[in-house]
């Protein structure tokens, strides 16, 4: 079970890795927040890094 402080990976709905960070809320809290809140403090943005390197 996920707990606040755990390292997590963030994936798009298509399964693409978007980033890695630290969970700020419990699993149930994160699910109830929806898209308008902060559930994970990202420390590495994979998609953004790839886009910058292609420019």
């Amino acid at each position: 079970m996920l707990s606040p402080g755990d390292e997590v990976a963030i994936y798009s709905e298509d399964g693409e890795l978007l980033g890695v960070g630290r969970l700020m809320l419990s699993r149930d809290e994160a699910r109830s927040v929806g898209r308008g809140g902060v559930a994970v403090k990202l420390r590495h943005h994979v998609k953004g890094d790839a886009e910058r390197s292609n420019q």
Side-chain angles (χ1 to χ4, degrees), residues 2-23:
L2 295 173
S3 300
D6 287 352
E7 287 286 316
V8 294
I10 307 300
Y11 291 90
S12 71
E13 292 179 1
D14 297 329
E16 179 182 13
L17 179 62
L18 300 176
V20 178
R22 191 164 302 276
L23 187 60

Side-chain angles (χ1 to χ4, degrees), residues 18-35:
L18 300 176
V20 178
R22 191 164 302 276
L23 187 60
M24 304 301 291
L25 306 172
S26 71
R27 186 183 93 174
D28 292 337
E29 290 170 328
R31 285 185 172 175
S32 69
V33 168
R35 293 180 180 227

